[in-house]
């Protein structure tokens, strides 16, 4: 009779996905994020947002829809909730993870002179902009010790263009008493290769900045496929 009762009362048994959750958490503790594919890392995030449901299929759907773990986090809230199974709470939690990553990356940049922590600068720029759906033009303003004074988005444009006004860039640098700047913008297409317009605009800023004692250390373009450095490419 005991066996019969168990077969007829599945609600009394542990849900089939409960063991999977515990095993996945254990693997994360043992191997870290690098030991998990994107969809499993996303499952771990979704566990807390959706506590009473198997979320493996949902995680895979999100990766398929948006492309990667990073692109899921960067997706607009309104697009996330279009996916069946993602409510406002889960979408907000995903955006919170993105905000935490960006805040952490920005903190790493602020801790030491920018030029001595270049890898952190690149990580921050990618976290902040690489997956944005529209072009943004950002400026990192530096003091004479190359410490970060301010980090400002100057312009937001379309999917393939952002209007940039070189004199306004330098005007803002003077207002902040900055002695150097790093220019940053993203290419939503994913390809960070500089366009001729990017090169022309950058050289205009360099030409205006130099007589005023303001150095342009670099112009970084970020995209899903990586980043490009004007200095590295010897374009400035």
């Amino acid at each position: 009779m005991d066996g019969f009762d168990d077969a007829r009362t599945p609600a009394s048994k542990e849900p089939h996905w409960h063991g999977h959750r515990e095993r996945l958490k254990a693997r994360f503790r043992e191997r870290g994020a690098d030991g998990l594919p994107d969809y499993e890392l996303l499952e771990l995030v979704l566990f807390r947002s959706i506590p009473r449901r198997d979320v493996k299929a949902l995680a895979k759907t999100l990766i398929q829809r948006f492309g990667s773990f990073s692109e899921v986090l960067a997706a607009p809230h309104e697009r996330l909730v279009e996916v069946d199974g993602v409510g406002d709470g889960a979408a907000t939690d995903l955006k919170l993870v993105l905000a935490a990553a960006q805040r952490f990356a920005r903190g790493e940049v602020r801790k030491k002179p920018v030029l001595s922590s270049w890898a952190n600068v690149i990580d921050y720029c990618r976290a902040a902009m690489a997956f944005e759906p529209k072009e943004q033009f950002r400026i990192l303003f530096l003091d004479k010790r190359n410490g970060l004074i301010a980090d400002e988005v100057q312009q937001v444009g379309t999917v393939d263009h952002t209007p940039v006004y070189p004199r306004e860039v330098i005007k803002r640098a003077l207002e902040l008493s900055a002695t150097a700047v790093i220019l940053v913008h993203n290419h939503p297409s994913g390809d960070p290769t500089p366009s001729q317009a990017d090169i022309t605009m950058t050289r205009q800023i360099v030409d205006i900045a130099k007589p005023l004692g303001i150095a342009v250390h670099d112009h970084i373009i970020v995209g899903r496929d990586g980043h490009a450095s004007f200095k590295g490419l010897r374009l400035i």
Side-chain angles (χ1 to χ4, degrees):
M1 291 296 292
D2 287 344
F4 179 83
D5 288 341
D6 285 346
R8 291 295 181 89
T9 56
S12 67
K13 293 184 177 181
E14 190 177 81
H16 72 90
W17 42 263
H18 188 270
H20 168 70
R21 289 189 173 204
E22 294 308 312
R23 289 190 297 272
L24 192 52
K25 290 175 184 176
R27 283 173 51 207
F28 174 74
R29 288 191 293 269
E30 292 168 5
R31 306 179 191 177
D34 290 341
L36 302 176
D38 276 7
Y39 80 89
E40 288 188 334
L41 191 60
L42 187 56
E43 278 189 81
L44 286 168
V45 176
L46 293 171
F47 284 168
R48 295 185 180 279
S49 307
I50 307 173
R52 297 180 181 84
R53 209 183 101 199
D54 184 358
V55 295
K56 180 188 285 188
L58 177 58
K60 289 184 174 181
T61 297
L62 286 165
I63 296 294
Q64 185 177 26
R65 171 78 65 92
F66 297 107
S68 68
F69 178 81
S70 297
E71 287 169 292
V72 171
L73 297 186
H77 184 100
E78 59 270 20
R79 288 198 60 202
L80 288 169
V81 297
E82 289 174 357
V83 178
D84 188 30
V86 179
D88 281 332
T92 298
D93 285 349
L94 291 170
K95 303 309 293 183
L96 179 60
V97 173
L98 176 64
Q102 292 174 340
R103 182 69 61 89
F104 175 82
R106 185 170 62 197
E108 292 298 293
V109 170
R110 289 184 181 277
K111 284 197 321 191
K112 60 184 74 172
V114 167
L115 297 188
S116 67
S117 56
W118 198 246
N120 289 336
V121 173
I122 299 300
D123 287 346
Y124 168 61
C125 292
R126 283 186 53 77
M129 302 175 69
F131 301 102
E132 287 293 322
K134 295 181 180 179
E135 277 201 13
Q136 294 183 357
F137 184 74
R138 181 182 228 103
I139 307 174
L140 307 183
F141 297 95
L142 311 179
D143 62 22
K144 62 183 179 181
R145 293 187 176 86
N146 289 315
L148 186 64
I149 298 173
D151 161 23
E152 297 181 354
V153 175
Q154 296 290 301
Q155 299 287 340
V156 177
T158 64
V159 294
D160 60 3
H161 176 69
T162 306
V164 177
Y165 306 100
R167 293 188 183 279
E168 291 300 315
V169 172
I170 303 307
K171 177 183 176 183
R172 183 59 178 153
L174 291 171
E175 289 173 351
L176 294 170
S177 299
T179 58
V181 296
I182 297 172
L183 313 175
V184 190
H185 84 277
N186 62 312
H187 280 178
S189 67
D191 180 5
T193 304
S195 68
Q196 187 56 53
D198 293 334
I199 296 169
T200 299
M201 174 268 292
T202 303
R203 289 176 175 165
Q204 288 174 347
I205 293 175
V206 170
D207 289 344
I208 298 171
K210 189 173 181 180
L212 298 172
I214 300 171
V216 179
H217 285 323
D218 207 344
H219 184 169
I220 302 166
I221 302 177
V222 295
R224 292 188 302 275
D225 302 332
H227 74 277
S229 160
F230 275 52
K231 187 173 183 180
L233 294 170
R234 298 184 177 180
L235 293 172
I236 57 173

